[in-house]
Amino acid sequence: MSVDRFGLVEDNQYLVVEIPAYESFIPFKVKYRVNRGYERIDYGPIPTTSGTSYPTLDGGTATVPEDGVMPAMAYMPTSDPIVFPASGVGLTYGVSDTDDMFYISEKDFDNRVIHLLASFSPSWLRVVVDMPRSTLQGMYQKATLDINMGMGFRRGGIETVVLPAVKIGWRFANDTSMDVYTVARFVYGEYVVDIVNDAEMVFNLGVGKVKAKRVVLPVNVPSYDFEDALRKTWGFTGFRMYAEHEKSIAISEYNEVISELRR
Amino acid sequence: MVSELFTVYGKTDGTSATGTFNLSSPIFRGTVTYIRIPKGMKAKIWGKRISGEPATITVEMTRDVTAGTPEWSAIHTEVLSSSGELDIEKRRPIIVEGRTGKEAIRITWNQSTAAVTYVEFDIEITDE
């Protein structure tokens, strides 16, 4: 199996991160997991702040009455996402950004990614991850979807991979009549990775011939910030996705990309 | 599957023979007089505990809690006919579906003589 009982990638197995906006993927070999043995973060309340005003799904506004509470019918707009401060778990140093514990600077680690399986309580909370932060990514045909619509969100939890230099934002909505006390929990894997640099293996991972854990990033819209983050970390935005019958074209292209990769 | 099970607690005011419970719960702040059901999800009432003085306890629902004057209709009734306690847990819950997201449920009491009665309802909000 590529994954363990937590759903995290085992050492020496593969993680394929797909990026729809670029029709690309990045195949990682997971060398090892830094946090082997302590995969769970009981973060505590989602960090909403007392006094913050949010729009409501009914067209009004609601004020957070107490830290960690999500007001009735309130939602977080794209312009007002939250991040999870490191102080929430007692970390005051040693992270790339103490305001956002799930941000990795490429200057600190260009060979690490964080695989996150996030769950939130109450589990009916709508949740969206903006990647990069404050960029709407939900799409349906030509329409842009947002958390205050009838679609374009998940409830209760989300799985994603945090890449170096990519800032993400978390947004929530509570479509009930109760000001709810919230809880955030994460199962995570901080992986030390290599990007697979054998064109044949890259192709086999891309088409699914070689077993790998696959995570599709919520990146449906190209953006400068996201592209810039990947380019300054690795020098590319992933390997283009090809089908099995396109193998010769793919291998040729992949070899060229690999020769220019930063690592 | 998304599922959240929580208990709501209410108490009659002891001075009114009829009324709507103000419900409290560890899962939410303060009290509410109704629980709005998220669109696409269901509210399932699994367990009911009623104790204290006699009362008729009714679960009511409205299809549009956003209306100026929501119309509430009874969907379930339990009767505590004398002082004591009722502890009811059946295999099949009372289910109210959030078809539009405007549905809501509330719990009311009716007593021949105003007195103190307590209720606890176990409610699950789920997508299945």
Side-chain angles (χ1 to χ4, degrees):
Chain A
M1 290 290 287
S2 295
V3 297
D4 65 6
R5 64 188 177 95
F6 296 105
L8 300 174
V9 182
E10 291 279 24
D11 296 351
N12 213 31
Q13 298 295 315
Y14 297 101
L15 168 67
V16 171
V17 173
E18 296 182 24
I19 312 171
Y22 299 92
E23 297 178 24
S24 70
F25 67 102
I26 305 179
F28 296 106
K29 175 189 151 187
V30 174
K31 292 163 71 172
Y32 65 92
R33 183 188 313 169
V34 172
N35 59 309
R36 174 73 63 175
Y38 48 99
E39 287 82 3
R40 183 175 160 122
I41 303 172
D42 287 311
Y43 186 87
I46 293 170
T48 56
T49 305
S50 172
T52 304
S53 181
Y54 289 125
T56 67
L57 298 165
D58 289 341
T61 58
T63 302
V64 177
E66 184 181 333
D67 288 352
V69 169
M70 189 65 195
M73 299 306 292
Y75 72 94
M76 297 174 184
T78 320
S79 57
D80 204 359
I82 59 154
V83 291
F84 290 89
S87 57
V89 290
L91 283 174
T92 55
Y93 70 96
V95 294
S96 293
D97 184 353
T98 51
D99 289 334
D100 178 4
M101 68 175 291
F102 296 124
Y103 174 72
I104 319 169
S105 167
E106 77 287 1
K107 293 186 179 63
D108 292 330
F109 297 106
D110 62 358
N111 65 340
R112 291 193 187 188
V113 301
I114 301 177
H115 182 192
L116 280 178
L117 292 97
S119 59
F120 306 103
S121 177
S123 59
W124 66 70
L125 288 177
R126 300 182 183 185
V127 58
V128 161
V129 170
D130 291 337
M131 190 181 285
R133 196 174 300 158
S134 299
T135 304
L136 268 181
Q137 291 287 358
M139 297 291 295
Y140 181 71
Q141 296 188 41
K142 294 182 182 176
T144 304
L145 303 177
D146 203 353
I147 200 169
N148 61 332
M149 297 175 175
M151 57 194 279
F153 53 86
R154 299 190 66 132
R155 288 192 188 271
I158 202 160
E159 180 179 16
T160 193
V161 174
V162 178
L163 303 177
V166 177
K167 295 187 177 183
I168 66 175
W170 304 79
R171 294 189 293 123
F172 299 90
N174 170 21
D175 47 351
T176 67
S177 48
M178 306 164 284
D179 294 341
V180 292
Y181 289 105
T182 61
V183 179
R185 296 182 185 87
F186 303 93
V187 166
Y188 81 104
E190 184 179 0
Y191 304 143
V192 175
V193 296
D194 278 334
I195 294 176
V196 174
N197 60 5
D198 176 87
E200 181 94 19
M201 180 57 90
V202 170
F203 177 79
N204 287 334
L205 284 165
V207 298
K209 274 182 147 178
V210 170
K211 200 171 52 179
K213 167 70 179 178
R214 302 183 86 87
V215 176
V216 181
L217 295 186
V219 179
N220 297 303
V221 177
S223 72
Y224 171 80
D225 286 346
F226 185 82
E227 222 171 296
D228 182 59
L230 264 57
R231 288 199 186 282
K232 67 185 177 187
T233 304
W234 295 309
F236 80 153
T237 56
F239 294 98
R240 185 183 167 95
M241 196 77 81
Y242 282 101
E244 276 203 60
H245 68 278
E246 299 171 306
K247 183 174 180 178
S248 57
I249 304 170
I251 298 287
S252 173
E253 185 177 304
Y254 292 167
N255 275 316
E256 203 173 312
V257 171
I258 288 164
S259 68
E260 293 171 4
L261 270 181
R262 287 239 172 87
R263 60 176 293 111
Chain B
M1 176 184 156
V2 172
S3 171
E4 194 75 42
L5 180 66
F6 58 100
T7 300
V8 295
Y9 168 85
K11 188 179 98 167
T12 61
D13 62 19
T15 56
S16 306
T18 61
T20 301
F21 282 100
N22 284 316
L23 300 169
S24 62
S25 174
I27 206 171
F28 57 80
R29 188 174 185 274
T31 61
V32 299
T33 55
Y34 62 84
I35 292 169
R36 184 168 173 175
I37 304 162
K39 186 177 179 181
M41 306 200 79
K42 297 173 185 174
K44 296 182 179 178
I45 300 173
W46 288 99
K48 294 153 281 191
R49 290 170 292 284
I50 305 162
S51 60
E53 297 306 312
T56 298
I57 306 298
T58 303
V59 179
E60 298 181 347
M61 75 161 285
T62 177
R63 295 196 187 279
D64 187 358
V65 76
T66 66
T69 307
E71 286 183 27
W72 295 92
S73 51
I75 58 170
H76 183 77
T77 302
E78 297 287 353
V79 179
L80 181 63
S81 55
S82 58
S83 300
E85 184 177 314
L86 272 179
D87 192 337
I88 306 149
E89 195 160 341
K90 298 204 191 299
R91 279 195 310 121
R92 290 188 182 82
I94 304 159
I95 302 174
V96 180
E97 186 161 4
R99 292 167 50 245
T100 63
K102 295 179 182 178
E103 295 83 357
I105 56 175
R106 69 180 187 182
I107 307 170
T108 64
W109 78 83
N110 190 327
Q111 299 169 309
S112 53
T113 305
V116 176
T117 305
Y118 306 91
V119 295
E120 290 173 24
F121 277 56
D122 302 320
I123 301 173
E124 180 188 14
I125 302 284
T126 179
D127 60 356
E128 286 191 5

